[in-house]
Amino acid sequence: MLPLRRLHRGVKNLRRYSNVAPTTKLFIDGQFVESKTANWIDLHNPATNEVVTKVPLTTHDEMTAAVESCKNAYESWSKTTVLTRQQYMLKLQALLRRDIKKIAANITEEQGKTLPDAEGDVMRGIQVVDHSCAAGTLLQGESLQNVAKDMDIVSYKCPLGVTAGICPFNFPAMIPLWMFPLALITGNTMLLKPSERDPGATMLLMELLNEVGVPPGVVNVIHGTHDSVNFICDHEYIKAISFVGSDKAGKYIYERGARNGKRIQSNMGAKNHAIVLADADKDATINQIIGASMGAAGQRCMAISVCILVGESQKWIPDIVKKAKELKVNAGHEPGTDLGPVISSQAKQRIIDLVDAGIKQGAKCVLDGRNVKVEKYPNGYFVGPTILTDVKVDQDCYKEEIFGPVLSIMSADTLDDALKIINSNPYGNGTAIFTSSGSAARQFVHEVDAGQIGVNVPIPVPLPMFSFTGSRGSHHGDLHFYGKQGLNFYTQTKTITSLWRQGHAVTKASVSMPVQ
Ligand code: NAD
């Protein structure tokens, strides 16, 4: 017998793995099935570098079975009543709350973020489910009586058919929950492809769908990388694709899917700037900026990665560095950890390379986390809090999305100069200003060209009654995730014009367009 080793000491829902890692299953037609593929990806716990599961590169036959299952399920699922679908979401909402710690433990194990942050990951997804429970109101169309004599018009929001979701690694629960609850509540079925780097949370969500009693085939899950993405972009049954991830994949999927006539929403990378004016509440601002730049080891698309200090606030750099130094780097399941590891050794190396490049190009490293050591986890992919000052727009550390715990500090003389920097950056996901001046805040809100804006709020992610409205280089497509736009993405409008004459018949063929 091979020795067992214990992962996640001190965490509830302890799981034991043998040295032969278990496999991640496919979810086809309501069943968890072992892939017949010969090709597997080892998934490493980023804190320990141990293999925790093997993820299959789904075969073509398995992907075909999954999409056919979605198509078959659509026939009956699209005819269920809104109230029935709402009931499923209400039950799912309760089970997600019940299992939040179990899902969070899986996220920490596969993705690395801290347990409290992993719970936040699930909670932000639960809020989308909460909102989707109002489907009876949200899905109402429009109506107008007497648009002409005896004529009325009504419109309905109707499902599209089979939809697909392609997810990134950094929010293993939240992003699938941005996708399938809205797809389902609007009467669609969905083929999901979680990130091959941490599919475990999605699989736990599928267990919950089975427990809720959602019929087999309404959601199917395949795994893999390029081949599964190409399959989704090309398959005739799939009418719409929701994508969240990097620029390279997002642009590719947008173009390939659109060429095949699919509706696409593609959320991509970011470079989120915070402007700090000297009249801001100093302690609160520094705490918020450090939390927003270093939280989740900087692997959030809404992380503050650039801080522009305007005028006198440039004197705050030593205090910013002091605050960042206090953060504890450790495995995500260890109590008191502020920063867990980054997702992979390649991601760690890329972060280090970009910091190196920044320094070579003129930036100064005032806090260096490149060689951080975590004694208990010597094999983990840790990067400590890192701060670069004197960052300029032509340096690689500014031009690239670093996606690590690195805060780039820039300086500007005026708010106008700071606004110019932000508006010249190709991304438009999020931005924030810290100030006590209402007029400066108002100018910022009106003049900054980004989709999600915080005023004394560092990560202004809208709650699900609004939509996630990243703009410019951070989004391709017309309709955003969740909120009213999310519902519109997953529906098409059917407009019915009815004529019920009272008292007199149509007696003459009308060959001209009516003029009134
Ligand atoms: P990624 O693009 O590497 O992976 C996302 C998905 O695309 C995965 O399912 C992966 O299998 C697939 N994929 C990867 N490369 C591909 C390629 N060349 N062709 C086709 N498919 C490919 O992204 P990631 O590293 O998992 O996630 C981090 C990125 O996601 C960051 O850029 C981050 O800013 C972004 N993100 C954006 C948002 C947002 O809402 N704007 C939210 C979360 C993450």
Side-chain angles (χ1 to χ4, degrees):
M1 248 287 280
L2 292 163
L4 292 172
R5 63 172 181 267
R6 176 179 284 208
L7 298 176
H8 286 349
R9 283 188 184 82
V11 180
K12 277 190 184 162
N13 308 308
L14 261 181
R15 289 159 62 184
R16 284 170 176 270
Y17 293 116
S18 74
N19 276 353
V20 181
T23 53
T24 296
K25 309 296 181 243
L26 306 168
F27 184 64
I28 300 181
D29 228 21
Q31 305 285 320
F32 292 91
V33 285
E34 182 85 355
S35 173
K36 293 196 167 51
T37 185
N39 302 309
W40 298 82
I41 301 170
D42 283 349
L43 191 157
H44 296 255
N45 178 330
T48 61
N49 196 25
E50 289 168 339
V51 177
V52 292
T53 182
K54 288 175 172 292
V55 182
L57 297 185
T58 311
T59 66
H60 193 269
D61 285 353
E62 289 161 346
M63 293 193 279
T64 304
V67 78
E68 282 186 347
S69 168
C70 282
K71 176 131 194 303
N72 293 337
Y74 177 74
E75 295 305 316
S76 48
W77 180 254
S78 57
K79 296 187 181 77
T80 52
T81 67
V82 177
L83 292 185
T84 303
R85 301 198 294 263
Q86 204 172 4
Q87 282 301 316
Y88 286 126
M89 286 302 137
L90 285 163
K91 287 182 190 151
L92 178 63
Q93 181 193 46
L95 296 187
L96 282 164
R97 285 196 160 80
R98 182 195 72 190
D99 283 1
I100 189 166
K101 287 199 185 303
K102 180 177 169 188
I103 301 168
N106 178 280
I107 292 173
T108 300
E109 176 176 78
E110 293 192 356
Q111 198 271 355
K113 63 177 74 173
T114 67
L115 281 172
D117 197 36
E119 280 192 41
D121 184 329
V122 186
M123 184 47 77
R124 293 313 296 255
I126 292 175
Q127 288 167 345
V128 178
V129 179
D130 289 346
H131 189 241
S132 74
C133 292
T137 310
L138 298 170
L139 277 173
Q140 287 178 8
E142 295 170 318
S143 64
L144 191 60
Q145 266 189 329
N146 288 330
V147 288
K149 179 150 175 47
D150 299 331
M151 185 180 279
D152 309 313
I153 300 186
V154 295
S155 70
Y156 298 120
K157 288 180 192 289
C158 303
L160 303 172
V162 180
T163 62
I166 303 171
C167 307
F169 81 84
N170 66 329
F171 283 101
M174 181 185 82
I175 303 280
L177 287 166
W178 279 9
M179 297 175 179
F180 76 82
L182 282 194
L184 267 50
I185 203 80
T186 47
N188 301 283
T189 56
M190 181 167 256
L191 181 65
L192 258 183
K193 195 205 83 65
S195 170
E196 66 280 9
R197 297 192 265 182
D198 48 21
T202 294
M203 303 320 286
L204 292 173
L205 298 178
M206 294 306 108
E207 284 180 14
L208 297 186
L209 276 192
N210 272 356
E211 191 176 341
V212 158
V214 168
V218 170
V219 182
N220 287 277
V221 180
I222 58 172
H223 303 291
T225 56
H226 302 68
D227 286 349
S228 48
V229 166
N230 286 341
F231 179 87
I232 288 171
C233 291
D234 296 346
H235 203 284
E236 59 169 320
Y237 292 169
I238 294 171
K239 304 297 174 210
I241 304 173
S242 298
F243 169 81
V244 180
S246 65
D247 294 358
K248 190 174 168 205
K251 285 178 186 161
Y252 173 79
I253 290 165
Y254 188 78
E255 283 165 22
R256 185 160 177 155
R259 256 202 316 276
N260 289 319
K262 301 183 197 315
R263 185 181 287 195
I264 322 270
Q265 52 179 186
S266 176
N267 271 15
M268 297 173 289
K271 199 85 183 172
N272 307 306
H273 303 65
I275 292 182
V276 177
L277 302 188
D279 60 12
D281 176 335
K282 184 175 168 190
D283 283 350
T285 301
I286 292 175
N287 277 321
Q288 285 175 295
I289 284 181
I290 293 304
S293 56
M294 306 298 171
Q299 299 174 116
R300 292 182 182 138
C301 66
M302 285 290 280
I304 291 286
S305 51
V306 183
C307 172
I308 310 178
L309 300 176
V310 177
E312 288 294 297
S313 69
Q314 288 162 27
K315 294 184 182 146
W316 298 2
I317 290 174
D319 299 290
I320 295 173
V321 172
K322 185 164 170 268
K323 182 56 67 180
K325 263 187 188 163
E326 290 168 9
L327 299 178
K328 287 203 192 78
V329 183
N330 204 345
H333 63 270
E334 294 285 357
T337 303
D338 295 305
L339 270 78
V342 297
I343 187 70
S344 63
S345 58
Q346 294 87 335
K348 175 175 171 166
Q349 193 54 52
R350 184 177 171 277
I351 294 163
I352 291 171
D353 290 348
L354 282 168
V355 173
D356 290 346
I359 295 166
K360 273 198 198 109
Q361 292 164 352
K364 292 194 180 73
C365 190
V366 291
L367 182 63
D368 190 351
R370 286 174 293 175
N371 296 312
V372 74
K373 297 271 177 290
V374 178
E375 253 175 49
K376 197 168 161 190
Y377 301 97
N379 300 322
Y381 321 132
F382 296 98
V383 181
T386 299
I387 297 183
L388 297 173
T389 60
D390 298 73
V391 171
K392 302 281 183 299
V393 293
D394 56 355
Q395 295 165 358
D396 289 341
C397 65
Y398 178 78
K399 288 193 284 189
E400 297 284 324
E401 180 186 33
I402 300 179
F403 225 53
V406 181
L407 178 65
S408 297
I409 297 187
M410 305 176 88
S411 304
D413 292 335
T414 63
L415 174 57
D416 286 342
D417 293 342
L419 274 162
K420 270 186 206 134
I421 296 174
I422 301 179
N423 290 348
S424 305
N425 188 283
Y427 291 111
N429 217 32
T431 186
I433 189 167
F434 292 87
T435 181
S436 58
S437 158
S439 69
R442 188 173 186 281
Q443 181 190 348
F444 177 74
V445 167
H446 285 266
E447 294 182 14
V448 77
D449 192 1
Q452 303 175 108
I453 301 170
V455 176
N456 298 318
V457 174
I459 304 190
V461 174
L463 286 164
M465 57 293 281
F466 293 87
S467 300
F468 188 99
T469 53
S471 63
R472 297 199 283 140
S474 300
H475 177 77
H476 274 8
D478 305 299
L479 294 166
H480 289 282
F481 281 84
Y482 62 77
K484 288 194 188 104
Q485 297 198 33
L487 280 149
N488 286 338
F489 180 77
Y490 290 118
T491 54
Q492 53 194 332
T493 308
K494 220 182 230 183
T495 310
I496 299 104
T497 305
S498 306
L499 177 68
W500 294 104
R501 285 279 189 231
Q502 282 197 327
H504 60 95
V506 181
T507 52
K508 194 166 173 269
S510 169
V511 292
S512 306
M513 301 277 281
V515 288
Q516 57 181 351

